[in-house]
Amino acid sequence: MKPINKLIIQDEFIGFYLLKELNVRQTSGTPPKDYFDIVLSDSSGQVSAKYWDVTIQDKETFFPMQLVKIQGTVQSYRDQPQVKISKIRKAREDDGVSLTDFVRSAPIRPVDLLHTIKLTIHEITDHKIRNIVQFCVDRVEEKLMHYPAAKTYHHAYFAGLAYHIVRMLEIGDFVCKQRPFLNPDLLKAGIILHDIAKPEEMIAQMGIVTEYSNQGRLLGHIVMASNWIVEAAVTFNIPLDSEMVLGLQHLVLSHHNLGEWGSPVQPQTAEAVALHYIDMLDAKLQMVEDALDTTAETEPWTPMIRGLENKSIYRLNV
């Protein structure tokens, strides 16, 4: 079976893949005909696909997050590869394939990522900050072992959220050493807490977001995490108007920087400024890394990356 990141234009292939996304669309002809608009994925990446002339039985058979065996041809559509599926069936038990074989995951074991996060919490010297962070992490600890950091933009894979947090902690450790005016306890707390409510914002299976929860749709992870900080402060009898609680809430509420990106306020403390740019740096570089990893090595340019203002990345051959 050929991995998705090895598929090239004009390839004809047969293999097992995951139906990461599946939507029923209609052609513009008269009369219109139903077809499947699909995203196929495996552990190496994903590719868009089309299955034409869909029958009623097909619509009752195929759904997202299923493993399927397909026969297809790689075509070019708007300068990007797109698979035309000629045959498709559900994977059977005797095929010997497992869902876990087709899901991309963080390059570090989830148990090790969680251990690093817990160790960092233990290193926070201010016990009040430490208690608040632990309170919030305890709410989602099990989900941290497998939840992605986002649906599509960055770290959108198994244990992606924990991987994102750990990579940010590494950057934050360097920044605090270089800029000693920063409060390490606050910055570590902000890094761990900034996306901590995402497992309650999103509904995910095997690291793939299938939909958003009602809380996620109506509140979002930023507001939810800020509320958790308040709940923790009440639990530990910490005044809600204390600068520590205010500072932690501000870190979470401002880390997206702009209102159109989801933050009600902009960063206005030193640690909040640092958190925003550490978050941006890790997310943007991960987008680049993911695009390079999931693009065929024979292709010099990656597909356009939405999170990088729809720019493509060129693979320098140096």
Side-chain angles (χ1 to χ4, degrees):
M1 187 180 75
K2 203 166 188 179
I4 283 175
N5 68 341
K6 300 295 185 182
L7 294 175
I8 59 175
I9 305 301
Q10 296 186 339
D11 267 353
E12 296 181 3
F13 65 98
I14 297 174
F16 292 94
Y17 300 93
L18 175 67
L19 290 177
K20 184 177 180 181
E21 298 178 23
L22 184 150
N23 294 287
V24 179
R25 311 287 191 198
Q26 286 192 325
T27 63
S28 57
T30 304
K33 295 182 179 181
D34 290 340
Y35 69 93
F36 283 158
D37 187 12
I38 291 171
V39 174
L40 296 172
S41 72
D42 63 13
S43 60
S44 74
Q46 64 182 44
V47 65
S48 66
K50 296 288 190 292
Y51 183 55
W52 305 101
D53 297 328
V54 169
T55 66
I56 294 176
Q57 184 179 358
D58 289 331
K59 288 186 283 187
E60 295 174 348
T61 301
F62 299 105
F63 301 94
M65 297 303 295
Q66 286 179 336
L67 288 180
V68 294
K69 185 176 184 180
I70 69 165
Q71 178 178 326
T73 304
V74 184
Q75 301 177 332
S76 178
Y77 177 71
R78 294 181 178 176
D79 297 324
Q80 300 298 329
Q82 183 180 88
V83 173
K84 179 183 179 182
I85 299 173
S86 53
K87 293 183 180 179
I88 183 172
R89 71 163 172 83
K90 292 169 62 177
R92 300 188 296 256
E93 186 174 346
D94 60 2
D95 287 323
V97 293
S98 171
L99 184 63
T100 56
D101 299 329
F102 294 83
V103 175
R104 190 166 182 232
S105 61
I108 299 175
R109 294 190 312 162
V111 65
D112 294 330
L113 294 169
L114 190 59
H115 174 73
T116 299
I117 293 170
K118 288 182 174 181
L119 186 62
T120 302
I121 296 172
H122 181 72
E123 292 172 349
I124 295 175
T125 57
D126 187 308
H127 74 278
K128 293 181 180 179
I129 296 177
R130 184 170 63 247
N131 286 341
I132 289 177
V133 174
Q134 189 65 63
F135 176 94
C136 296
V137 169
D138 284 346
R139 297 185 71 147
V140 293
E141 180 175 327
E142 189 277 329
K143 290 184 176 180
L144 272 179
M145 294 286 285
H146 59 91
Y147 255 66
K151 183 176 182 180
T152 54
Y153 275 108
H154 66 93
H155 303 84
Y157 42 74
F158 192 89
L161 176 56
Y163 184 58
H164 177 44
I165 292 172
V166 168
R167 283 290 179 248
M168 286 180 62
L169 287 170
E170 293 170 348
I171 299 171
D173 183 59
F174 169 79
V175 171
C176 283
K177 291 175 181 176
Q178 188 191 63
R179 305 288 179 177
F181 68 86
L182 293 169
N183 182 316
D185 282 353
L186 281 176
L187 188 55
K188 289 175 184 176
I191 289 171
I192 295 172
L193 295 178
H194 81 290
D195 280 346
I196 199 64
K198 280 197 171 182
E200 299 301 315
E201 177 185 53
M202 305 179 294
I203 299 172
Q205 180 181 351
M206 295 299 298
I208 296 174
V209 177
T210 55
E211 59 182 308
Y212 286 85
S213 67
N214 289 336
Q215 281 188 318
R217 291 173 181 271
L218 298 175
L219 299 178
H221 71 279
I222 289 178
V223 171
M224 292 164 66
S226 179
N227 288 345
W228 293 1
I229 291 170
V230 171
E231 290 179 38
V234 171
T235 299
F236 295 108
N237 297 314
I238 303 170
L240 297 183
D241 60 354
S242 68
E243 296 231 322
M244 186 267 291
V245 174
L246 185 64
L248 290 175
Q249 285 185 283
H250 181 69
L251 282 162
V252 169
L253 291 169
S254 67
H255 80 269
H256 279 184
N257 186 44
L258 298 175
E260 54 264 39
W261 294 348
S263 276
V265 291
Q266 290 185 286
Q268 295 173 76
T269 67
E271 292 74 24
V273 172
L275 174 63
H276 167 65
Y277 286 104
I278 290 170
D279 185 27
M280 289 284 285
L281 176 63
D282 185 58
K284 299 292 187 183
L285 286 178
Q286 195 64 51
M287 293 176 199
V288 174
E289 182 178 346
D290 290 345
L292 290 170
D293 285 349
T294 57
T295 300
E297 294 178 1
T298 55
E299 294 290 332
W301 288 93
T302 70
M304 291 186 297
I305 304 171
R306 187 178 175 188
L308 292 177
E309 293 75 44
N310 288 322
K311 291 192 292 287
S312 297
I313 296 297
Y314 181 71
R315 193 192 308 268
L316 286 170
N317 187 19
V318 178

